[in-house]
Amino acid sequence: MKRLLARGAPLAAFLALWQWAAWVPISFNFPTPWQTVVALAELLGSGALLQASATSLQSLVLGFGAAILIGVPLGLLMGVVRGVGRVARVYLDLLIALPTAALIPLVILSFGINVVSSAVIIFVFSAPFITMNAYGGVRDTRPRLVEMARAFGASWGKLFTRIVLPSALPMILAGLRLGLSRAFLGLIVAELLLSPFGLGKLIMNSRSMFEHDKMFATVAWTLVLAGIALAVLARLEARLLRWRAA
Amino acid sequence: MTPLVAPEPAFGRAGFAAIAGLLVVWEILGRLELTMFVPSASSVAVAWWGLLTDGTLLRSAGSSFGSLLKGFVPAALLGVALGLAMGRFRTLREVLDGWINALMSAPLSALVPVLIALFGVRDTVVAATVFLFSFFVIVVNTMTGVRGTERSLVEMARSFGAGEAALFARIYLPAALPAILLGLRLGAVQAVKGMVVGEMLISLVGMGERLIYYGNTFLIPELYAVIVSVLLIALLSSTLVQSAERALVKWK
Amino acid sequence: MSATLGIAIERLSKSFGAVQALADIEIQVKAGEFLALIGPSGCGKTTLLKCVAGLLPADAGRIVIGSRPVSGPGGREASLVFQDFALLPWATARENAEFGLLLRGAPAAERTEAARRALAKVGLAGSFEQAYPAQLSGGMQQRVGLARALAVNPQVLLMDEPFASIDEQTRRILQDDLLRLWSEERKTVVLVTHSMEEAIYLSDRVVVLSPRPGRVHRVLDVPLPRPRETLDVRASGEFARLVDELWQILKKMQ
Ligand SMILES: Nc1ncnc2c1ncn2[C@@H]1O[C@H](COP(=O)(O)OP(=O)(O)OP(=O)(O)O)[C@@H](O)[C@H]1O
Ligand SMILES: [Mg+2]
């Protein structure tokens, strides 16, 4: 209870600050928290928000799914075949350092303004991180365990499925979480720039029509949506890694 | 235009081979003229040189660096300060930890429209985005560094009569320094990402505006040249912090 | 030359929440005595030492060093030596040896001088001064830890398993060096150890603590002749007999 109160304090402080900022007003058309909540209720009631979310999540599932399906095996391959790892590592480092948003105009030019484009953007935002973590997980396998398994005469396949994969699992899962966070980031940037659909469109449209309360509501909704998705993934991760808790 | 900057210590002969290979393949693909969206490496180099000599690149980079500094310096100062405090004081940590972690992985790009509502379409928005993108990583790393301080070092100092100030200056800060510098390095990379996102969304100044412009006008080699430049800025920022790291952390 | 001080531990009790670590500890350490503390893991040896150093407040009872009751950390009478050495990784050997004086606000010249002298005492003069801990072996690191403790010129040395993480050969050399230092400097030493041989070889008396909550179970006198470092005491039948007696005490206590 006391914990909950302490954790809620920053939120209360933030809302108070927001209320004050709207009351001054710090900028014209800066809605109060309450106006934002009302707008949020309206948007939910009309179904506009849910529809936009569904569109956004569609490209998210496409892009993030592809990033997992390609990133994890690629990372595992990099970890197992040293030569591949050493070379691919260089490109990964560059892709991770690269401000990925810079690639968006190029993606739009190549794929057009559509869901595929936005999925591709999400893919390039998240895949390098997923790959890197899978690679790191394999590289961090304790040599002792490998030696032990080989001393028992484990075949290559057994070694991989019984030792390497479980050792790498925590980092792979952490990579998925990181990747999902990056995927949301890419999704929002892409939609804000592309604008013809999804949550980004809702944000940009509200802005251009000076319905700032709706814009704030959509932004808040987006952050909460991402927060929930990430929390669910973290839960799943904790479930799968129960053996680490001891 | 080859990125000669090492992103990782592991960058050695394999690194150069990988980069050289990339350039060769890129050049061949470009020469084959499969699609206009993959121009040859040499044509990108020519475009890059053109942008450099006519001053476009320097003008945009100047504006970008301005926003980068305006956002990153406060993020570094406040981030380290908050991280130290959170590492040291349990109550503060319990109150803020969850929020800081949530915000670190939140899609903060969604806040750019809010920042525009707040500041108008100005480069302040870019600086604010830079701040948001880099602040939380710095906080979390600093806090982790402080928390990782060996207990026995603290006890040792206390046994010689160290008070809170001496503990901070002589134990916690130096013990956390490697983690702080790592946080600043990650923060610098994040800062450049925030800079590009902010600039692209307000589409008014800096490298981000150039990206949008060349994208809209189908100047593909120029678009590539700016992408490469942005990558170079990111690598440069992280390398700068890394050399500070090498200079400051000599004992490892 | 300051007078050597004894330590009086009177009816000391200490709990961590529901866990009682120490109960009614009563120990008198004579001035200039070398006392060893031994007991099962978790019986409160470290806790006792931290109480003496003032790092932990006692729940009941009191501790007096010389004539001053211990009331908090930073007292000038005692110095701690740690099992994991507790060296600052970012500081050179000399800077580490100076650290206690630095915290006590001694001027730079005096610090350097005292640290040099202390390092020389523990056999680390010259080029080692500028080495970082990571460049030193475990034995040398603990020498630095010892030098840091000696540099503030304490009357009492409190050592928590100082040689536990050091290999056997180096440990024997360090034990002999410690005995030599102790006889030259006439300090009062309280040394916690898990090694029965070490307790018998070094100390005048061994205090055996019982399992948690730690109480004084037995006190064993060690009437071996000194200087033991030159007399080859380890080879004597008396040494073996005392080690065995200590073993019997510990074994029966389980
Ligand atoms: N800060 C603390 N908080 C809670 N419990 C503690 C704390 N310090 C020690 N204890 C507990 O008090 C008991 C005594 O601990 P202490 O470290 O003094 O034992 P020890 O005799 O030094 O053991 P060892 O031989 O393993 O070093 C243990 O049960 C330990 O778990
Ligand atoms: Mg102990």
Tab-separated table of all heavy atoms in Angstrom, chain C residues 196-219:
chain	number	residue	atom	x	y	z
C	196	MET	N	42.313	-23.720	11.569
C	196	MET	CA	42.760	-24.050	12.916
C	196	MET	C	44.259	-23.868	13.047
C	196	MET	O	44.760	-23.354	14.047
C	196	MET	CB	42.367	-25.494	13.244
C	196	MET	CG	40.877	-25.651	13.375
C	196	MET	SD	40.382	-27.372	13.505
C	196	MET	CE	40.301	-27.831	11.802
C	197	GLU	N	45.018	-24.293	12.010
C	197	GLU	CA	46.477	-24.135	12.036
C	197	GLU	C	46.855	-22.663	12.174
C	197	GLU	O	47.734	-22.298	12.954
C	197	GLU	CB	47.109	-24.701	10.756
C	197	GLU	CG	47.222	-26.214	10.729
C	197	GLU	CD	45.934	-26.861	10.260
C	197	GLU	OE1	44.976	-26.125	9.927
C	197	GLU	OE2	45.875	-28.111	10.244
C	198	GLU	N	46.159	-21.824	11.402
C	198	GLU	CA	46.480	-20.400	11.438
C	198	GLU	C	46.215	-19.832	12.828
C	198	GLU	O	47.029	-19.082	13.378
C	198	GLU	CB	45.663	-19.649	10.385
C	198	GLU	CG	45.924	-18.154	10.364
C	198	GLU	CD	45.320	-17.489	9.130
C	198	GLU	OE1	45.990	-17.511	8.080
C	198	GLU	OE2	44.192	-16.964	9.205
C	199	ALA	N	45.077	-20.210	13.425
C	199	ALA	CA	44.730	-19.703	14.747
C	199	ALA	C	45.802	-20.085	15.766
C	199	ALA	O	46.285	-19.253	16.534
C	199	ALA	CB	43.366	-20.246	15.173
C	200	ILE	N	46.195	-21.358	15.757
C	200	ILE	CA	47.189	-21.829	16.730
C	200	ILE	C	48.553	-21.206	16.462
C	200	ILE	O	49.249	-20.751	17.370
C	200	ILE	CB	47.304	-23.370	16.676
C	200	ILE	CG1	45.963	-24.012	17.012
C	200	ILE	CG2	48.408	-23.866	17.596
C	200	ILE	CD1	45.529	-23.853	18.447
C	201	TYR	N	48.927	-21.161	15.174
C	201	TYR	CA	50.263	-20.690	14.820
C	201	TYR	C	50.475	-19.226	15.212
C	201	TYR	O	51.536	-18.849	15.687
C	201	TYR	CB	50.495	-20.860	13.315
C	201	TYR	CG	51.880	-20.480	12.871
C	201	TYR	CD1	53.006	-21.172	13.333
C	201	TYR	CD2	52.088	-19.415	12.004
C	201	TYR	CE1	54.281	-20.823	12.944
C	201	TYR	CE2	53.358	-19.063	11.607
C	201	TYR	CZ	54.461	-19.769	12.073
C	201	TYR	OH	55.723	-19.419	11.693
C	202	LEU	N	49.417	-18.410	15.032
C	202	LEU	CA	49.611	-16.978	15.215
C	202	LEU	C	49.328	-16.484	16.630
C	202	LEU	O	50.009	-15.605	17.137
C	202	LEU	CB	48.712	-16.198	14.249
C	202	LEU	CG	49.009	-16.349	12.749
C	202	LEU	CD1	47.952	-15.605	11.934
C	202	LEU	CD2	50.395	-15.820	12.410
C	203	SER	N	48.334	-17.088	17.323
C	203	SER	CA	47.759	-16.348	18.444
C	203	SER	C	48.276	-16.782	19.813
C	203	SER	O	48.891	-17.832	19.982
C	203	SER	CB	46.238	-16.501	18.427
C	203	SER	OG	45.899	-17.823	18.775
C	204	ASP	N	48.011	-15.921	20.792
C	204	ASP	CA	48.247	-16.261	22.189
C	204	ASP	C	47.071	-17.028	22.767
C	204	ASP	O	47.235	-17.871	23.638
C	204	ASP	CB	48.431	-14.975	23.014
C	204	ASP	CG	49.621	-14.178	22.541
C	204	ASP	OD1	50.660	-14.782	22.237
C	204	ASP	OD2	49.505	-12.934	22.446
C	205	ARG	N	45.877	-16.655	22.304
C	205	ARG	CA	44.673	-17.333	22.754
C	205	ARG	C	43.716	-17.473	21.588
C	205	ARG	O	43.657	-16.590	20.728
C	205	ARG	CB	43.960	-16.521	23.850
C	205	ARG	CG	44.610	-16.638	25.233
C	205	ARG	CD	43.695	-16.039	26.288
C	205	ARG	NE	43.397	-14.634	25.995
C	205	ARG	CZ	42.328	-13.988	26.469
C	205	ARG	NH1	41.449	-14.622	27.234
C	205	ARG	NH2	42.125	-12.716	26.183
C	206	VAL	N	42.956	-18.563	21.579
C	206	VAL	CA	41.932	-18.748	20.554
C	206	VAL	C	40.572	-18.713	21.232
C	206	VAL	O	40.316	-19.488	22.155
C	206	VAL	CB	42.099	-20.102	19.822
C	206	VAL	CG1	41.049	-20.236	18.719
C	206	VAL	CG2	43.500	-20.237	19.255
C	207	VAL	N	39.710	-17.815	20.773
C	207	VAL	CA	38.336	-17.790	21.277
C	207	VAL	C	37.460	-18.562	20.298
C	207	VAL	O	37.447	-18.261	19.110
C	207	VAL	CB	37.824	-16.345	21.421
C	207	VAL	CG1	36.338	-16.338	21.761
C	207	VAL	CG2	38.618	-15.618	22.501
C	208	VAL	N	36.766	-19.582	20.802
C	208	VAL	CA	35.895	-20.393	19.949
C	208	VAL	C	34.455	-19.924	20.141
C	208	VAL	O	33.945	-19.941	21.267
C	208	VAL	CB	36.004	-21.890	20.285
C	208	VAL	CG1	35.117	-22.704	19.364
C	208	VAL	CG2	37.459	-22.341	20.185
C	209	LEU	N	33.818	-19.482	19.049
C	209	LEU	CA	32.418	-19.061	19.137
C	209	LEU	C	31.514	-20.225	18.751
C	209	LEU	O	31.863	-21.037	17.892
C	209	LEU	CB	32.148	-17.876	18.200
C	209	LEU	CG	32.845	-16.554	18.538
C	209	LEU	CD1	32.401	-15.468	17.566
C	209	LEU	CD2	32.554	-16.103	19.963
C	210	SER	N	30.335	-20.276	19.391
C	210	SER	CA	29.370	-21.338	19.091
C	210	SER	C	28.545	-20.926	17.861
C	210	SER	O	28.540	-19.772	17.484
C	210	SER	CB	28.451	-21.533	20.285
C	210	SER	OG	27.711	-20.342	20.487
C	211	PRO	N	27.838	-21.916	17.278
C	211	PRO	CA	26.964	-21.568	16.144
C	211	PRO	C	25.944	-20.518	16.551
C	211	PRO	O	25.685	-20.323	17.739
C	211	PRO	CB	26.292	-22.877	15.774
C	211	PRO	CG	27.121	-23.945	16.382
C	211	PRO	CD	27.801	-23.358	17.564
C	212	ARG	N	25.317	-19.902	15.541
C	212	ARG	CA	24.430	-18.783	15.774
C	212	ARG	C	23.336	-19.115	16.782
C	212	ARG	O	22.736	-20.183	16.682
C	212	ARG	CB	23.795	-18.405	14.436
C	212	ARG	CG	23.461	-16.955	14.318
C	212	ARG	CD	22.936	-16.638	12.953
C	212	ARG	NE	21.711	-17.371	12.690
C	212	ARG	CZ	21.325	-17.738	11.489
C	212	ARG	NH1	22.085	-17.466	10.459
C	212	ARG	NH2	20.203	-18.382	11.314
C	213	PRO	N	23.014	-18.262	17.714
C	213	PRO	CA	23.691	-16.988	17.956
C	213	PRO	C	25.067	-17.192	18.581
C	213	PRO	O	25.205	-17.992	19.506
C	213	PRO	CB	22.769	-16.273	18.936
C	213	PRO	CG	22.053	-17.361	19.643
C	213	PRO	CD	21.897	-18.471	18.649
C	214	GLY	N	26.066	-16.480	18.063
C	214	GLY	CA	27.427	-16.657	18.542
C	214	GLY	C	27.586	-16.313	20.019
C	214	GLY	O	27.172	-15.257	20.480
C	215	ARG	N	28.108	-17.310	20.777
C	215	ARG	CA	28.495	-17.077	22.172
C	215	ARG	C	29.930	-17.539	22.321
C	215	ARG	O	30.396	-18.334	21.497
C	215	ARG	CB	27.646	-17.901	23.136
C	215	ARG	CG	26.174	-17.608	23.098
C	215	ARG	CD	25.437	-18.643	23.945
C	215	ARG	NE	24.017	-18.600	23.690
C	215	ARG	CZ	23.191	-17.737	24.290
C	215	ARG	NH1	23.649	-16.896	25.190
C	215	ARG	NH2	21.905	-17.729	23.999
C	216	VAL	N	30.598	-17.095	23.386
C	216	VAL	CA	31.947	-17.602	23.607
C	216	VAL	C	31.812	-19.026	24.136
C	216	VAL	O	31.293	-19.253	25.224
C	216	VAL	CB	32.717	-16.730	24.610
C	216	VAL	CG1	34.094	-17.334	24.877
C	216	VAL	CG2	32.858	-15.320	24.068
C	217	HIS	N	32.254	-20.010	23.335
C	217	HIS	CA	32.098	-21.396	23.705
C	217	HIS	C	33.272	-21.868	24.557
C	217	HIS	O	33.096	-22.493	25.598
C	217	HIS	CB	31.979	-22.240	22.435
C	217	HIS	CG	31.903	-23.709	22.678
C	217	HIS	ND1	30.782	-24.312	23.184
C	217	HIS	CD2	32.819	-24.688	22.487
C	217	HIS	CE1	31.007	-25.606	23.293
C	217	HIS	NE2	32.236	-25.871	22.885
C	218	ARG	N	34.476	-21.582	24.124
C	218	ARG	CA	35.677	-21.972	24.866
C	218	ARG	C	36.769	-20.976	24.562
C	218	ARG	O	36.769	-20.326	23.520
C	218	ARG	CB	36.160	-23.354	24.399
C	218	ARG	CG	35.508	-24.532	25.086
C	218	ARG	CD	36.082	-24.788	26.478
C	218	ARG	NE	37.488	-25.186	26.461
C	218	ARG	CZ	37.912	-26.436	26.268
C	218	ARG	NH1	37.052	-27.408	26.040
C	218	ARG	NH2	39.196	-26.719	26.299
C	219	VAL	N	37.741	-20.852	25.450
C	219	VAL	CA	38.944	-20.081	25.156
C	219	VAL	C	40.124	-21.006	25.341
C	219	VAL	O	40.249	-21.666	26.381
C	219	VAL	CB	39.073	-18.864	26.086
C	219	VAL	CG1	40.335	-18.084	25.761
C	219	VAL	CG2	37.844	-17.967	25.959
